[in-house]
C-alpha cells in the first residue's frame, strides 16, 4: 500500500501530463489531418496532372505489387485520369527501383490503353547533384513523352528530339539514366499484365 | 681562447639531407611525366601545370600569412603538390577549375591541419576529389593526345558526348565489364598505354615516363620501396583474378597497371610520406589496401578509375594502421 | 452543436490520450522500480558533481556522458571546465565541491622564483642551440654559467594553466594577481627554482638565488647572485647563510625594521619583495660590499 | 542568476543576447549539430527548421518552467522528453499541413528535434531553474541564435552550390556551381571553417 | 644464424664482419685524423680537478681537506656505497680547494682541485709491460675484484659503471659470456684502436683476469671490420697466449652504433637484451678494451686509474692525436697542448660527434669516461644543423629504419614535444639508448634524440613525485 | 539466397555507402565529442551498435504491430523516444548492477546515446525506407551501428595523430574534426554506386 502511495506521489504529474499531451496531439491531428491528406492528394494531382495535362480528375483504381529487377517487391498504386468529360485519358502509377546512390521513386503516366508513355516525374531520388539528378531535368524527361509504351532502349548517342523507343543517356550518368529506364520498363509490363488479368483494361484497342 | 661556441644535444653532425632536397628529388622524378604530358597534350598541359604550381605556392604563402606562421615555401612541398595535382587533371580542364583545385589542396588539404607534415589526406588527391565532386562533368571529359589518330573513338565536334567519356582505356574496360565483351580491344591498347598515346589525365597516360621517374626515386631512396611494390602487386593480383575468370570482360593485369593513375599513384601519390604509414608493416598494409580498393572500384564500382578514392580512404585509416603496426622494441616489450 | 463537435473530437482523440497515459504510467513504474532495485552506491563527491552538471549527456566534454565526466573530474581536477553546456557556472560549482576535500591550514602558499638574473645579468659561455625547453637545456652542462639560475625557456609558463607566469627578459616572473597557488609551476621547473612559500603577508621577502657557488664564482657568473656575504644574517635571525647562500625562514618572516635594513644592505640586491603589490626590485649596487672585504 | 528587481531587465537582455553570440548553441556549445549540417543546403529549409526549433524550444521551456517545482528527480528526464516530443509532433503536423514541400525536404529531421541536445539542455539548464519569463526569453534567444546560424551556413552553401540565395539568382550565369557544396562535404567543410572563424574572432576579442 | 658462438670458434680468422644488428647508420668515419697517431704523453698539468662523481652510482666523499698534501695515486675520495668507485690523485701536490667544477653530465659538481708540485713526475704511457705468457691463475677471483674496486676502475666505454659490480659473480644473474667491446663505432675516436694495437698483451691480461673474476666460459672480442689491423693483432695474441680456450675475436660489420652493448650482443650472439634491462639478465658482461687494460694494470701493478687515453681530434685541432692524460686535466689545457685550435671552432665535444656532449665551459676536467675531445668546425656540423634549421617531420620513416632499438623516434619525440608523456611511454621511450642515429638521418633535421632525452628526464621527474 | 543477398547488400550499403554519419548527418554530437581517443570511440561505437539494434528492432515492432494504420500513428514519435529512452535506461541500470566490468567498458556510454539522433534517426529512416520485414530491419539497424563505429574509430585515429600536429589554434577541436569529416565523406564517395 505505501508503495502505491509513493508511486503516485512521484509520478502523478507525469501521468496527468502524459494524458494531457496525448490529447493535445490527438486534437491537433484531428484539426489538421484533413489538410495533410489534402496536401498529399494535391501533390499527386500536381505531378500526374503535369504528365497528363488533359486530365481533370484522378481516381484511385487499384493497388498492385510488382517485382523489381533485383527481386524486391514494390507496391504500386494506379490512378485513372479522367477528363472534364469524365472519360479516361490515361493512367498514372508510382513505382520505384535502385538508382545510382539510393532508390529512385517515380510517377509514370501512360495513355489509357498502355500504348504510349505520357512521361514520368521523380518523387524521390538521391542521385549525385550534377550527374544523376539530371533525370529530373526536362531535357531527359521529355524523351519519354509519347514514346511507345514498350521496351525502351538506352543509347549513348542519338537524337533526343525524335520520338522513338531510343532514349539518349545523360552524359556521364548512364547509370542513373539506365535506372530510370529499368524501373519504367520493368513496371510497365508487369502492371499491364496484372491489370489485364484483373480485367481493369482490355487488350483489344 | 675559443669564441662563439655552440652547445646542443647530441648528435652534432647530420646526414646531408633536407626536406627540400627530398622534395626536389620528387620534382626531378616528376619531370619525365610532365615532359610526356607536354608532348601529348601540347602547350595547354604546361599551362595547366604551371597554373597549379603557382596557385599552390601562392595559397601556401597566403595561408602562412593569415595563420601567422613562418614562411614555408622553401621546402618545395607546395610545388610537388601542384605538379601532382596537375598531372591528375584531365587535359581539357579550364584554368579556373585548376586554380580552385590547388587552392583547396593547399588550404583545406594541408594548411588547416598545420601545414607540411600534419595533413591526414594527400592534399593533391583531396583537391582532385573536391574538383570531381564540384565539377564532375569537367573532370570526366577527356581529350585524346594531340599526337595521334587513335583506334579509340575520335573526338570531334559533332561526335561529342559519349566519345569523350569513353576516351580512356579504363572507360573502355568499364564498358567491357558491363557488356561482358570487348576486353581484348582494351588489352590491345597496351602498347599505347605504355608510351602514353591514349586519353586520360595529363600525367597518367605515359607509363614509361612514370616508370623512369619512379625508378629514379627508388634509386635515390627517396621513396620507400614497399609502397609501390605493394600497390602494384595487389593491383596485379586482383586484376589477374578478374582476368582469369573472364578475359573477355576484364582487362588484363598489365593493362590495369599501366593505365589510369596506377603508376603515378604507386610511385608518387601513395608514397607521399606524410600521409602513408610509418612502419614497414604498415606500408605493406597501406599499399595492398590502395591496390585492392582501386581494383574494387574499377571492377565492381561505378567509376572507371579508383586511385584517388583508394588513396584518400587509406589515408584516413593510416593512423589506425600506424597504431596497429606499432613497432616492438628490439628487446621486446618491457615487462613492467 | 458545439457539444457534438467536442464529443466527436473526444471520440477521435481519446485513444491517443489513453496510449500516452499508459505509456507514461508504464515507464514511470518501471523506472521507479528500477531506480530502487538497481541502485548502486557511488562516491558522494561524484554524485554531487553529477548533480551540478547539466546532465544533458551531450558528450561535449569528451567523456561518455555526464556520469563519466563527473567521475573523471573527481579524480583529475585539471579537467574542470570541459563541460560546454554548463559553462563557467558549472565549472565553479565543481571546483567548489572538489575543494571541500582539499583541507588547508595556514596561509596560502604562493610560488616564489629564486632567481632574479635577467639576460644581461647572467654570463654565458656559449650559444645554446638545443631544444627550447628548460628541461632540455638543464640536461646540458653549462648552457649558462650559473647552474642554478633561471634558464628562461618557460617550462613553468607552459605548466601554469592560469597564465600567471611570464618569462620577462630571461627570467620567470609570477603575476600574483592571477596566480591561484596551484603549484604546477614549481613542479615543472627542472632547476627547482620555484618554491611554494606560505604567504603570511601580502608581500613576502625572499633571497632570489639558489647558487651554492662561493662568492667569487657567483660574482663571476652573475651580477645579481647571492654571494653569501652574511650581511643580512647580521641584521636579523630570519636570514641565515649556509653553503654560500643566504636563506630566509618564511615561518618567522616579519616585516620589521631589521628586515628592512637587511633588505637595503644586501650588496647585490638579491633580497627581493614578491607579491601582488610589491614594488619592482631595486637595481643592485654595483660597488662591492664593504663588509665582505 | 540574481533576483534583484532593477537588474531583471538587463538580465533579460543579456539572456537574449547570450544565445545570439556568447552562448550560441552551434558555435559555442556545439549542440544540435545534426540538423545544422543536414538542413543547410539551402536557406529556405534552414529557416523552416530554425523556426520549428524556436517553437518547440519556446513551448517546452514554458511547460518545464511552469512545472519546475513539481519535478521529481527520477522522472525528470522522462518528463522533459515527453514534453518535447509532444511539441515536436505538433510542429511536424503543422509543417505537413501548411508547408508540405518543406516538410518533405526536411523529412525525418523534424522529428529529430526531439533529440536535439539544445532543447533538453535548455530545459535542464535554464527552464527547470528559472521563472517563466526568463525561460521564455532564453528560449527565444537560443532559438534565434540557432536559426541565424543555420541561415548563415545555408546562405554560404546555397550561393556556392547554385549561385542563388533563397532561390533568387545572385551570381552571374557564367558561374559554374560547386555541386560539392550541396553534398555532405560542403556541409562539414563550411561549418568547420565557420567555427574556426568564430574561434579566431573571439580569440582576438579576448 | 644457428649458434653463432660455436661458428665463431670453428672459424678461421676473417677480418670481414658478417655479424651485425638491424638498423644503424653510416656516418663518415673521419678516423684517419688520429688512427696512425701513437699514444703520446699528455700535458704536464699544473692543476688537476678530480671530480668526486665520475661514474654511475653514489658520488665519493672527499678523504682530505683543503691544504692537505697528496701523492700521485693516493686515494682522495671514496664512498661506502656498493655501486661506486673511489677516485685517486693523478699528481702529487696540495689540495687547493674542494669546490664546484663544471661536469659534462652533472653541470656543476664538487671536485678536489689539486695543485701540482713543481717537480711533479708525470706518468708516461708504457709501450706494453705485459707479455703473452701472462698467467691469471696467480690471482684469486676475490683478489681481482678487490683490486679493481680499490683502483677505482669504472667502465671506460662511456657510461662509467663501476667495473667491480659488473664482473663480480652475482647469484641472481650467473654470467656465461663476456664480450669485449673493441668496436669504437663512434666517428673520429681512435683511442680504443690504438690501445688494441699498442697494449695488446695488457688487454689480453685484463681479459683473462676479468674472465677469472666473473667465471665466464666464453670471451668474444667484437671489433669492427674497418680495423683489420686490430683484428689481426688481437687474434695473433690470442693464438700465442696460454689458457686461450673460449677467447675469440669476432669481426663485426662497421656500422654505427655497433659498439653499443645491446647491438654488439645482438650482432654476435643473436640475443636481445630485454628492453629496459641490462646484459647481466641474459648472462652477459660487456667490457670496453680500455677497461680490460685498466684491470690488468690494477691487479698486477696495483696501479689506480688515474690516467687514460684520450683522442683529441676534429678538423679544428692543430695536432690531433691520442694522448695519455691525467684525469682532472681541463679540456682547455688539453686542447692547448694539442696546439690549440686552428680554424674557428664551433663546438667542443666531450666524446664523439654522435653521442658526445657539447660543453661550454672549457675548464671542465677530463674524467675516467672521457674517451675523446672532438672540436668541430662549422663546416663539419653542417649549415642546417649549425643554424638550427628545422622543418616539420614529413614522416619519411628514416628514423624508424635506423633506430637500432626498433623504436618509433618521431612519435616519441612528437609526443614529448606536445607534452603527452603517456603516449611517449606507450611508444617505449625508455628503450631509447640515445645513440643519435635518428637525429643523424632526419631530413627535417629534428632533434629527435634531444626530445627523447628530455622526455626521459621529464618522466623521471614525474615518477620521483616531488613532495609538495 | 535472394533474401540473403538483399540483406548483405543492405548491410554493406548502410555501413559504407549510406553511412549514417557521412550521408545522413546523424549522431554528429558524439562523433565530435567522443572521438578523441580510440578506446573511447570504440566503446561508444559498440554501445551505439547495441542500442541502435535494440531500438531499431523494438520500434519496428511497435510500428508494425501496433501503430501503423491506426489513429495512434500520430503518437509515433512520442512512443519511439520513450521506448528508446526507457530501454536504454533499463539496460544501463541492469548492467551497472550486475555486470560492473561490462558497464565500465561500454555501459557508461549508454546514457549519452539516448540523446543521440543516430538512434531515433535510424528508427525513422527505417520507417521512411518502408522496410517491411523484421529481419531486414534488424540487419539494417545493426549495420547502421557498425557503420557508426567504423566512422568514429577512423575519426578517433585521425584525431589522435592530430594531437601531435600543429593545427592552427582557432581550428583545434571541433572545427578540424568537421573538416576532417568533410574530407572523409569525399573519400567515401568512392564507394558510391557500388551497390544498388
Ligand atoms: C562524383 C561522381 C558522381 C557521379 N554520380 C553519378 C550519378 O549520380 N549517376 C550516374 O549515373 N553516374 C554518376 N557518375 C558517373 C559514373 O561514375 C560513371 O562514370 C558513369 O555512370 C558511367 O557511365 P558513362 O558511360 O556515362 O560514363 C558520377 C561520377 C562521379 C565522378
Ligand atoms: C642502474 C644500472 C644497474 C646496473 N647493474 C649492473 C649489474 O648488476 N651488473 C652488471 O654487470 N652491470 C650492471 N650495469 C651496467 C650495464 O650493464 C652497462 O654495462 C652499463 O650501463 C654501461 O653501458 P653503456 O656504456 O653501454 O651505457 C648496470 C647499469 C645501470 C645503469
Ligand atoms: C650508442 C652507443 C655506442 C657505443 N659505442 C661504444 C664503442 O664503440 N665502444 C665501446 O667500447 N663502448 C661503446 N659503448 C658503450 C657500451 O655500450 C658499453 O657500455 C661498454 O662497452 C661497456 O663496457 P665498459 O663498462 O667497460 O665501458 C656504446 C654505447 C652506446 C649506447
Ligand atoms: C615521395 C613523395 C611523394 C609526394 N606525393 C605527394 C602527393 O601525392 N600529393 C601531394 O599533395 N604532395 C605530395 N608530396 C609532397 C608533400 O609530402 C605533401 O605536400 C605533404 O603531404 C604536405 O604536407 C610528396 C612528397 C614526397 C617526398
Ligand atoms: S602554476 Fe600555479 S602556482 Fe604557478 S604561477 Fe601558475 S597558478 Fe601560480
Ligand atoms: S623558473 Fe625554471 S622552469 Fe621557469 S623559466 Fe626559469 S628555469 Fe625554466
Ligand atoms: S636515439 Fe633512441 S630512438 Fe633514436 S635511433 Fe637511437 S635508440 Fe632509436
Ligand atoms: S627521419 Fe625525421 S622527417 Fe623522417 S620520420 Fe623521422 S622525424 Fe620525421
Ligand atoms: S544533434 Fe545529432 S547527435 Fe546531437
Amino acid at each position: 500500500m505505501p508503495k502505491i502511495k509513493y508511486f503516485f506521489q512521484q509520478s502523478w504529474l507525469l501521468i496527468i501530463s502524459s494524458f494531457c499531451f496525448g490529447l493535445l496531439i490527438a486534437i491537433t491531428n484531428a484539426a489538421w489531418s484533413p489538410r495533410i491528406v489534402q496536401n498529399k492528394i494535391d501533390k499527386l494531382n500536381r505531378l500526374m496532372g503535369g504528365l497528363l495535362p488533359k486530365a481533370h480528375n484522378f481516381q484511385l483504381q487499384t493497388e498492385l505489387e510488382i517485382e523489381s529487377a533485383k527481386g524486391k517487391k514494390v507496391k504500386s498504386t494506379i490512378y485513372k485520369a479522367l477528363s472534364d468529360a469524365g472519360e479516361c485519358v490515361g493512367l498514372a502509377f508510382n513505382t520505384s527501383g535502385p538508382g545510382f546512390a539510393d532508390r529512385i521513386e517515380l510517377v509514370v503516366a501512360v495513355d489509357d490503353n498502355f500504348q504510349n508513355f505520357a512521361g514520368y516525374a521523380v518523387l524521390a531520388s538521391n542521385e549525385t547533384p550534377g550527374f544523376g539528378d539530371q533525370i529530373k531535368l526536362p531535357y531527359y524527361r521529355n524523351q519519354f513523352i509519347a514514346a511507345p509504351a514498350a521496351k525502351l532502349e538506352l543509347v549513348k548517342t542519338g537524337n533526343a528530339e525524335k520520338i522513338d523507343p531510343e532514349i539518349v543517356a545523360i552524359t556521364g550518368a548512364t547509370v542513373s539514366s539506365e535506372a530510370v529506364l529499368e524501373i519504367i520498363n520493368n513496371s510497365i509490363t508487369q502492371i499491364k499484365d496484372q491489370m489485364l488479368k484483373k480485367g481493369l483494361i482490355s487488350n483489344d484497342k | 681562447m675559443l669564441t662563439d661556441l655552440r652547445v646542443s644535444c647530441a648528435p652534432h653532425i647530420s646526414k646531408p639531407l633536407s626536406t627540400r632536397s627530398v622534395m626536389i628529388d620528387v620534382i626531378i622524378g616528376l619531370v619525365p611525366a610532365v615532359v610526356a604530358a607536354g608532348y601529348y597534350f601540347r602547350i595547354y598541359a604546361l599551362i595547366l601545370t604551371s597554373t597549379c604550381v603557382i596557385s599552390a605556392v601562392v595559397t601556401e604563402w597566403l595561408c602562412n600569412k593569415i595563420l601567422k606562421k613562418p614562411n614555408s615555401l622553401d621546402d618545395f612541398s607546395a610545388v610537388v603538390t601542384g605538379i601532382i595535382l596537375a598531372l591528375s587533371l584531365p587535359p581539357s580542364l579550364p584554368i579556373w577549375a585548376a586554380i580552385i583545385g590547388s587552392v583547396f589542396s593547399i588550404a583545406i588539404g594541408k594548411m588547416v591541419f598545420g601545414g607540411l607534415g600534419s595533413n591526414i589526406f594527400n592534399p593533391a588527391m583531396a583537391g582532385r576529389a573536391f574538383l570531381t565532386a564540384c565539377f564532375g562533368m569537367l573532370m570526366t571529359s577527356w581529350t585524346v593526345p594531340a599526337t595521334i589518330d587513335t583506334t579509340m573513338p575520335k573526338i570531334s565536334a559533332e561526335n561529342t558526348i559519349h566519345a569523350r567519356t569513353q576516351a580512356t582505356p579504363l572507360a573502355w574496360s568499364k564498358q567491357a565489364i558491363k557488356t561482358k565483351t570487348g576486353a581484348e580491344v582494351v588489352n590491345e591498347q597496351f602498347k599505347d598505354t605504355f608510351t602514353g598515346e591514349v586519353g586520360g589525365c595529363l600525367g597518367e597516360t605515359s607509363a614509361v615516363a612514370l616508370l623512369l621517374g619512379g625508378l629514379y626515386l627508388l634509386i635515390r631512396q627517396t621513396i620507400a620501396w614497399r609502397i609501390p611494390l605493394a600497390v602494384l602487386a595487389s593491383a596485379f593480383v586482383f586484376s589477374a583474378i578478374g582476368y582469369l575468370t573472364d578475359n573477355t570482360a576484364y582487362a588484363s593485369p598489365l593493362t590495369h597497371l599501366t593505365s589510369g593513375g596506377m603508376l603515378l599513384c604507386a610511385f608518387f601519390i601513395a608514397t607521399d610520406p606524410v600521409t602513408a604509414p610509418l612502419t614497414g608493416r604498415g606500408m605493406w598494409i597501406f599499399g595492398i589496401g590502395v591496390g585492392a580498393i582501386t581494383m574494387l572500384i574499377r571492377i565492381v564500382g561505378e567509376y572507371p578509375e579508383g586511385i584517388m578514392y583508394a588513396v584518400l580512404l587509406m589515408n584516413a585509416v593510416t593512423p589506425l594502421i600506424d597504431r596497429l603496426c606499432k613497432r616492438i622494441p628490439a628487446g621486446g616489450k618491457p615487462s613492467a | 452543436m458545439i457539444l457534438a463537435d467536442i464529443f466527436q473530437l473526444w471520440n477521435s482523440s481519446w485513444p491517443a490520450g489513453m496510449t500516452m497515459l499508459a505509456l507514461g504510467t508504464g515507464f514511470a513504474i518501471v523506472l521507479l522500480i528500477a531506480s530502487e532495485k538497481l541502485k548502486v552506491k557511488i562516491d558522494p563527491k561524484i554524485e554531487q558533481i553529477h548533480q551540478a552538471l547539466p546532465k544533458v549527456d551531450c558528450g561535449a566534454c569528451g567523456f561518455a556522458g555526464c556520469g563519466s565526466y563527473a567521475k573523471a573530474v573527481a579524480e583529475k581536477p585539471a579537467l574542470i571546465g570541459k563541460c560546454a553546456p554548463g559553462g563557467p557556472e558549472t565549472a565553479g560549482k565543481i571546483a567548489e565541491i572538489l575543494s571541500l576535500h582539499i583541507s588547508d591550514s595556514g596561509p596560502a602558499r604562493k610560488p616564489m622564483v629564486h632567481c632574479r638574473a635577467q639576460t644581461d645579468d647572467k654570463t654565458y659561455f656559449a650559444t645554446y642551440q638545443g631544444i627550447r625547453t628548460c628541461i632540455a637545456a638543464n640536461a646540458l652542462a653549462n648552457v649558462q654559467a650559473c647552474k642554478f639560475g633561471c634558464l628562461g625557456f618557460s617550462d613553468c609558463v607552459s605548466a601554469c594553466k592560469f597564465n600567471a607566469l611570464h618569462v620577462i627578459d630571461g627570467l620567470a616572473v609570477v603575476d600574483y594577481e592571477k596566480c591561484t597557488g596551484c603549484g604546477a609551476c614549481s613542479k615543472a621547473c627542472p632547476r627547482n627554482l620555484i618554491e611554494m612559500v606560505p604567504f603570511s603577508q601580502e608581500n613576502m621577502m625572499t633571497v632570489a638565488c639558489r647558487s651554492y657557488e662561493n662568492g667569487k664564482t657567483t660574482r663571476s657568473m652573475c651580477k645579481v647572485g647571492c654571494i653569501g656575504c652574511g650581511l643580512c644574517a647580521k641584521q636579523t635571525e630570519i636570514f641565515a647563510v649556509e653553503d654560500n647562500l643566504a636563506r630566509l625562514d618564511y615561518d618567522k618572516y616579519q616585516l620589521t625594521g631589521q628586515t628592512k635594513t637587511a633588505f637595503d644592505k644586501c650588496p647585490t640586491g638579491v633580497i627581493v619583495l614578491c607579491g601582488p603589490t610589491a614594488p619592482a626590485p631595486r637595481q643592485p649596487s654595483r660597488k662591492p660590499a664593504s663588509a665582505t672585504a | 542568476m540574481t533576483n534583484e528587481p532593477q537588474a531583471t531587465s538587463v538580465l533579460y537582455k543579456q539572456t537574449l543576447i547570450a544565445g545570439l553570440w556568447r552562448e550560441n548553441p552551434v558555435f559555442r556549445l556545439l549542440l544540435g549539430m545534426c540538423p545544422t549540417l543536414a538542413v543547410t543546403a539551402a536557406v529556405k529549409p534552414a529557416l523552416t527548421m530554425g523556426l520549428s526549433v524556436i517553437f518547440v524550444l519556446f513551448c517546452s521551456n514554458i511547460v518545464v518552467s511552469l512545472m519546475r517545482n513539481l519535478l521529481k528527480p527520477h522522472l525528470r528526464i522522462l518528463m522533459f522528453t515527453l514534453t518535447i516530443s509532444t511539441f515536436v509532433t505538433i510542429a511536424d503536423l503543422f509543417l505537413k499541413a501548411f508547408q508540405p514541400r518543406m516538410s518533405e525536404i526536411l523529412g525525418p529531421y523534424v522529428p529529430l528535434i526531439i533529440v536535439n541536445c539544445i532543447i533538453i539542455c535548455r530545459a535542464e539548464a535554464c527552464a527547470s531553474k528559472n521563472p517563466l519569463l526568463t525561460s521564455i526569453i532564453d528560449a527565444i534567444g537560443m532559438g534565434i541564435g540557432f536559426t541565424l546560424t543555420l541561415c548563415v551556413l545555408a546562405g554560404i552553401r546555397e550561393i556556392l552550390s547554385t549561385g542563388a540565395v533563397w532561390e533568387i539568382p545572385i551570381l552571374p550565369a557564367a558561374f559554374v556551381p560547386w555541386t560539392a557544396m550541396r553534398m555532405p562535404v560542403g556541409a562539414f567543410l563550411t561549418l568547420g571553417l565557420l567555427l574556426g572563424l568564430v574561434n579566431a574572432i573571439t580569440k582576438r576579442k579576448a | 644464424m644457428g649458434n653463432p658462438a660455436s661458428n665463431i670458434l670453428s672459424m678461421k680468422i676473417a677480418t670481414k664482419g658478417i655479424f651485425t644488428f638491424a638498423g644503424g647508420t653510416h656516418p663518415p668515419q673521419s678516423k684517419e685524423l688520429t688512427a696512425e697517431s701513437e699514444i703520446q704523453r699528455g700535458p704536464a698539468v699544473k692543476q688537476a680537478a678530480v671530480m668526486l662523481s665520475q661514474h654511475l652510482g653514489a658520488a665519493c666523499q672527499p678523504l682530505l681537506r683543503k691544504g692537505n698534501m697528496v701523492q700521485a695515486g693516493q686515494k682522495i675520495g671514496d664512498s661506502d656505497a656498493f655501486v661506486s668507485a673511489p677516485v685517486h690523485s693523478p699528481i702529487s701536490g696540495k689540495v687547493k680547494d674542494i669546490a664546484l667544477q663544471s661536469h659534462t653530465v652533472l653541470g656543476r659538481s664538487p671536485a678536489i682541485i689539486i695543485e701540482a708540485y713543481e717537480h711533479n713526475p708525470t706518468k708516461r704511457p708504457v709501450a706494453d709491460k705485459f707479455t703473452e705468457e701472462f698467467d691469471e691463475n696467480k690471482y684469486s677471483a676475490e683478489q681481482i675484484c678487490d683490486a679493481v674496486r680499490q683502483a677505482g676502475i669504472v667502465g671506460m666505454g662511456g657510461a662509467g659503471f663501476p667495473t667491480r659490480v659488473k664482473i663480480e659473480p652475482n647469484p641472481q644473474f650467473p654470467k656465461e659470456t663476456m664480450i669485449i667491446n673493441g668496436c669504437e663505432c663512434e666517428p673520429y675516436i681512435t683511442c680504443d684502436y690504438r690501445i688494441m694495437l699498442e697494449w695488446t698483451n695488457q688487454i689480453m691480461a685484463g681479459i683473462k683476469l676479468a674472465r677469472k673474476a666473473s667465471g665466464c666460459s666464453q670471451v668474444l672480442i667484437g671489433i669492427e671490420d674497418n680495423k683489420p689491423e686490430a683484428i689481426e693483432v688481437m687474434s695473433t695474441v690470442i693464438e700465442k697466449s696460454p689458457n686461450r680456450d673460449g677467447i675469440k675475436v669476432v669481426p663485426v660489420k662497421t656500422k654505427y652504433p655497433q659498439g653499443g652493448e645491446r647491438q654488439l650482443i645482438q650482432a654476435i650472439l643473436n640475443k636481445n637484451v630485454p628492453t629496459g634491462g641490462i646484459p647481466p639478465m641474459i648472462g652477459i658482461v660487456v667490457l670496453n678494451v680500455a677497461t680490460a687494460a685498466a684491470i690488468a694494470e690494477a691487479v698486477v701493478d696495483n696501479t689506480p686509474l688515474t690516467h687514460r687515453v684520450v683522442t683529441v681530434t676534429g678538423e679544428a685541432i692543430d695536432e690531433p692525436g691520442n694522448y695519455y692524460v691525467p684525469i682532472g686535466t681541463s679540456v682547455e689545457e688539453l686542447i692547448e697542448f694539442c696546439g690549440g685550435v686552428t680554424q674557428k671552432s664551433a663546438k667542443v665535444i666531450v666524446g664523439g660527434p654522435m653521442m658526445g656532449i657539447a660543453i661550454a665551459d672549457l675548464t671542465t676536467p677530463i674524467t675516467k669516461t672521457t674517451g675523446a675531445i672532438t672540436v668541430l668546425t662549422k663546416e663539419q656540423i653542417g649549415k642546417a644543423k649549425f643554424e638550427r634549421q628545422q622543418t616539420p617531420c614529413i614522416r619519411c620513416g628514416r628514423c624508424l629504419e635506423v633506430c637500432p632499438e626498433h623504436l618509433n623516434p618521431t612519435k616519441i619525440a612528437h609526443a614529448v614535444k606536445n607534452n603527452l608523456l603517456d603516449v611517449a611511454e606507450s611508444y617505449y621511450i625508455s628503450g631509447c639508448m640515445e645513440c643519435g642515429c635518428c637525429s643523424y638521418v632526419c631530413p627535417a633535421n629534428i632533434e629527435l634524440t634531444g626530445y627523447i632525452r628530455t622526455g626521459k628526464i621529464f618522466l623521471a621527474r614525474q615518477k620521483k613525485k616531488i613532495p609538495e | 539466397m535472394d533474401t540473403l543477398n538483399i540483406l548483405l547488400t543492405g548491410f554493406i550499403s548502410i555501413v559504407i555507402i549510406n553511412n549514417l554519419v557521412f550521408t545522413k548527418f546523424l549522431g554528429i554530437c558524439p562523433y565530435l565529442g567522443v572521438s578523441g581517443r580510440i578506446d573511447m570511440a570504440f566503446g561508444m561505437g559498440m554501445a551505439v551498435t547495441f542500442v541502435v539494434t535494440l531500438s531499431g528492432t523494438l520500434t519496428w515492432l511497435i510500428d508494425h504491430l501496433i501503430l501503423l494504420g491506426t489513429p495512434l500513428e500520430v503518437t509515433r514519435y512520442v512512443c519511439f523516444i520513450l521506448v528508446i529512452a526507457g530501454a536504454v535506461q533499463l539496460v544501463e541500470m541492469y548492467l551497472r548492477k550486475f555486470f560492473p566490468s561490462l558497464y565500465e567498458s561500454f555501459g557508461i556510454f549508454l546514457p549519452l546515446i539516448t540523446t543521440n539522433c543516430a538512434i531515433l534517426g535510424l528508427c525513422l529512416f527505417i520507417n521512411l525506407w518502408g522496410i517491411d520485414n523484421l529481419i531486414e530491419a534488424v540487419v539494417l539497424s545493426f549495420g547502421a551501428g557498425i557503420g557508426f563505429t567504423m566512422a568514429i574509430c577512423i575519426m578517433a585515429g585521425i584525431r589522435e595523430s592530430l594531437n601531435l600536429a600543429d593545427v592552427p589554434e582557432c581550428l583545434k577541436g571541433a572545427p578540424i574534426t568537421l573538416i576532417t569529416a568533410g574530407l572523409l565523406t569525399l573519400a567515401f564517395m568512392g564507394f558510391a554506386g557500388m551497390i544498388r
Side-chain angles (χ1 to χ4, degrees), chain C residues 113 115 133-135 148-157 165 167 170-172 185 188-194:
Chain C
V113 183
C115 178
T133 63
C134 301
I135 209 161
F148 305 94
C150 177
L151 289 158
F153 290 127
S154 306
D155 282 15
C156 47
V157 175
L165 261 169
V167 166
L171 175 67
C185 51
C189 178
R191 296 200 148 175
N192 297 324
L193 281 181
I194 306 181

Side-chain angles (χ1 to χ4, degrees), chain B residues 254-275:
Chain B
L254 274 183
T255 309
H256 269 301
L257 290 198
T258 51
S259 53
M262 186 60 86
L263 288 172
L264 184 68
C265 161
F267 290 117
F268 297 96
I269 299 175
T271 51
D272 174 10
V274 175
T275 53

Side-chain angles (χ1 to χ4, degrees), chain E residues 31 154-163 166 179-186 192 224 227 256-264 285-292 355 369 404 433-437:
Chain E
K31 299 215 186 220
V154 301
M156 293 165 80
F161 194 79
T163 306
K166 256 179 159 175
I179 291 181
I180 302 299
N181 190 343
C183 294
E184 203 156 51
C185 55
E186 179 87 45
D192 287 356
E224 277 189 347
K227 306 180 188 70
Y256 181 82
Q258 187 67 74
E261 55 184 1
R262 305 165 67 86
Q263 284 62 47
L264 196 53
V285 201
V286 184
L287 287 185
N288 173 251
V289 284
T291 315
M355 283 195 79
T369 51
M433 54 165 177
E434 298 169 27
C435 66
C437 287

Side-chain angles (χ1 to χ4, degrees), chain E residues 106-179:
Chain E
L106 303 174
R108 299 281 287 176
S109 172
I112 300 177
I113 300 165
I114 300 160
E115 207 161 27
Y117 293 146
E118 291 288 336
H119 52 281
N120 196 12
T122 47
K123 206 171 143 188
R124 59 179 68 216
V126 188
D128 198 344
K129 15 182 190 183
F130 292 80
T131 60
E132 286 140 10
E133 270 77 54
F134 178 78
D135 183 12
E136 78 273 24
N137 290 326
K138 279 191 283 186
Y139 309 93
S140 73
E142 291 81 57
Q143 236 175 333
I144 299 170
C145 288
D146 220 42
V148 166
R149 159 93 201 197
Q150 284 311 317
I153 296 179
V154 301
M156 293 165 80
F161 194 79
T163 306
R164 207 277 294 260
V165 183
K166 256 179 159 175
I167 60 173
E168 179 178 74
N170 180 341
Q172 201 189 343
F173 303 121
K175 302 175 179 69
E176 287 153 21
T177 307
M178 174 175 291
I179 291 181

Side-chain angles (χ1 to χ4, degrees), chain E residues 138-304:
Chain E
K138 279 191 283 186
Y139 309 93
S140 73
E142 291 81 57
Q143 236 175 333
I144 299 170
C145 288
D146 220 42
V148 166
R149 159 93 201 197
Q150 284 311 317
I153 296 179
V154 301
M156 293 165 80
F161 194 79
T163 306
R164 207 277 294 260
V165 183
K166 256 179 159 175
I167 60 173
E168 179 178 74
N170 180 341
Q172 201 189 343
F173 303 121
K175 302 175 179 69
E176 287 153 21
T177 307
M178 174 175 291
I179 291 181
I180 302 299
N181 190 343
C183 294
E184 203 156 51
C185 55
E186 179 87 45
Y188 286 98
I189 308 182
T190 56
C191 61
D192 287 356
Y193 175 59
R194 292 313 304 179
I195 291 174
M196 284 190 282
L197 289 189
E198 295 176 35
W199 300 354
T200 327
N201 286 328
Q202 184 178 341
I203 294 175
M204 249 344 264
I207 290 174
K208 286 189 202 162
L209 287 167
R211 175 177 69 170
K212 167 106 193 208
S214 64
C216 289
S217 55
Q218 179 176 248
V219 180
L220 302 168
I221 305 171
I223 304 176
E224 277 189 347
D225 60 8
N226 63 347
K227 306 180 188 70
E229 287 135 71
I231 297 172
E232 280 294 338
V233 175
M234 290 300 294
S235 315
T236 331
V237 168
I238 293 170
E239 289 207 348
K240 287 192 200 146
S241 68
N243 299 339
R244 60 169 184 269
D245 287 355
I247 306 183
K248 205 77 204 167
V249 173
V250 185
V252 290
K253 228 184 200 147
T254 305
K255 177 157 80 173
Y256 181 82
Q258 187 67 74
E261 55 184 1
R262 305 165 67 86
Q263 284 62 47
L264 196 53
I265 291 169
Q266 148 91 104
I268 60 189
L269 293 175
N270 200 17
K271 280 186 189 167
N272 279 314
V273 181
T275 304
I278 47 172
M281 288 177 176
I282 52 172
I284 297 171
V285 201
V286 184
L287 287 185
N288 173 251
V289 284
T291 315
I295 292 174
E297 230 182 339
V299 177
V300 178
D301 291 355
N302 255 333
T303 321

